[in-house]
Amino acid sequence: MSINVKDYEFWFVTGSQFLYGDEQLKAVANDAEDIVNKLNASGKLPYKVVFKGVMTTADGITQFMKDVNYDDNVAGVITWMHTFSPAKNWIRGTRLLQKPLLHLATQYLDNIPYKTIDFDYMNLNQSAHGDREYAYINARLGINNKIVYGYWNDSEVQQEIADWQDVAVAYNESFNIRIVRFGDTMRNVAVTEGDKVQAQIQMGWTVDYYGVGDLVEAVNNVDEADIDREYEKLKSEYTLVEGENEHDKYEHSVRYQLREYLALKKFMDDHGYSGFTTNFEDLWGLEELPGLAAQLLMKEGYGFGAEGDWKSAAMGRLMKILAHNKQTVFMEDYTLDLRDGHKAILGSHMLEVDPSIASDKPRVEVHPLDIGGKDDPARLVFTGMEGKAVDVTLSDFRDGYKVIGYEVNGHKPEAETPHLPVAKQLWTPVVGLKEGATQWMKAGGGHHTILSFTISPQQVKDLFTMLGLDVDFIE
Ligand code: MN
């Protein structure tokens, strides 16, 4: 179950009324269809837009929204008011709509045709006030719709529509996310806890528990020939560095991680899960904490949370869907550089860092873990990347879930860490380390995050607002 999101489409309707006569309505339909065709031809949109007609009555709008809800291939609705469309007509249908709504507030022409403009033109082109009448009712209904404003053929406007489509698809897919927890959350840790029933009501996430023995059984059942095949694949993609390990010990550790990788993957695929958690305190019957195993699965698009952190596993999976599985990873605030001119957070984890953000060729290394009392695990060691990113976490409070996030500048470590063999990514909040970290902690944000070099701050706000979450984006 990698990121195989289906070929969703978005339905587009334009609002009008009968007041203007058949000829005007025909022109409304032609113009709207022209916009849809050119949006599809722009090559900017990740998903197809389908023109579904001109809406003129409350009954027609209500039926349209019901059809949208019923069709699993439709991820959301895009509306535009070419003429005035009395918005009481939209109340019933909009209240029934259970999918994301984008109001494209645009105009067919991008200019005022001073020489030719007359009352015929004005009967047809009323977006300036038509879109406001319509927006009023959405605001009054409080439905968290998105408004994209501007000329429909501008590349900036088309990019906004594209970004929203990815958010809308992630929203739909959120209700399919299923996380399997092997073991509970780490003992005594507070921030990784959460109300699983509320997560399912609000975000659609199913979070199930299995004893680690079920995983052990799957691990023991992996075929040696499958491990041989994965070992060859690993050699072709990464650099294998035996270091000071004896050859047999190194190979055994790598092969054991591949065994865990294959077992976890099969278990999730067989049971319909798209993410998982482990806990180094609960590895009874396993030789090693899944390190390389977790890294390979994250790279393929599975969600993962360490120390039983199912919230990060589900949020990681969700954000990977939004990002088309590009450069979106589970992270932990690991250690700090507090000096002027260097201020940064070094993000990492003891093993499980997603190689989607590697800027060099990851090395497969085997070292002791010094925690959990198990054998030395193989892991991928690499350097992270540079660029703008968002960093986001999810905390549960008595009054509900809250998303805390900020924009960061990602950069590479200033030097190698020969005695800390883990993958590393540095970042500094755009608002500054002191300001960003202080506000993050005041808001109650934890140390596990999802870092994405692909998702924009606006998409973070849109997605989690759409899911009805309280979003505290620090800026
Ligand atoms: Mn951790």
Side-chain angles (χ1 to χ4, degrees), residues 196-253:
K196 296 191 279 293
V197 175
Q198 186 58 27
Q200 186 155 13
I201 292 170
Q202 206 166 358
M203 285 86 87
W205 302 342
T206 302
V207 182
D208 291 335
Y209 166 84
Y210 276 83
V212 74
D214 291 304
L215 177 58
V216 171
E217 189 184 25
V219 165
N220 291 340
N221 284 339
V222 173
D223 208 46
E224 289 291 337
D226 292 335
I227 299 173
D228 292 343
R229 208 186 53 238
E230 291 300 329
Y231 203 93
E232 288 308 308
K233 221 163 92 187
L234 199 73
K235 278 201 278 193
S236 69
E237 255 180 82
Y238 304 110
T239 310
L240 273 62
V241 182
E242 292 191 11
E244 288 169 10
N245 298 289
E246 285 181 16
H247 175 75
D248 287 355
K249 179 195 166 188
Y250 177 87
E251 195 174 273
H252 178 79
S253 176

Side-chain angles (χ1 to χ4, degrees), residues 376-451:
D376 299 355
R379 81 290 307 266
L380 293 169
V381 180
F382 60 86
T383 301
M385 54 185 281
E386 290 175 334
K388 277 255 161 43
V390 290
D391 197 36
V392 182
T393 194
L394 180 65
S395 295
D396 190 21
F397 298 90
R398 286 301 294 270
D399 59 350
Y401 279 108
K402 184 158 72 172
V403 172
I404 298 123
Y406 45 38
E407 192 173 19
V408 302
N409 288 308
H411 34 111
K412 296 179 187 175
E414 293 176 16
E416 291 297 319
T417 56
H419 305 292
L420 184 70
V422 293
K424 289 172 284 293
Q425 170 71 55
L426 258 78
W427 66 84
T428 309
V430 168
V431 296
L433 177 58
K434 185 183 173 74
E435 177 70 12
T438 303
Q439 286 199 44
W440 185 285
M441 287 190 273
K442 285 279 275 183
H447 58 291
H448 281 172
T449 66
I450 306 300
L451 180 76

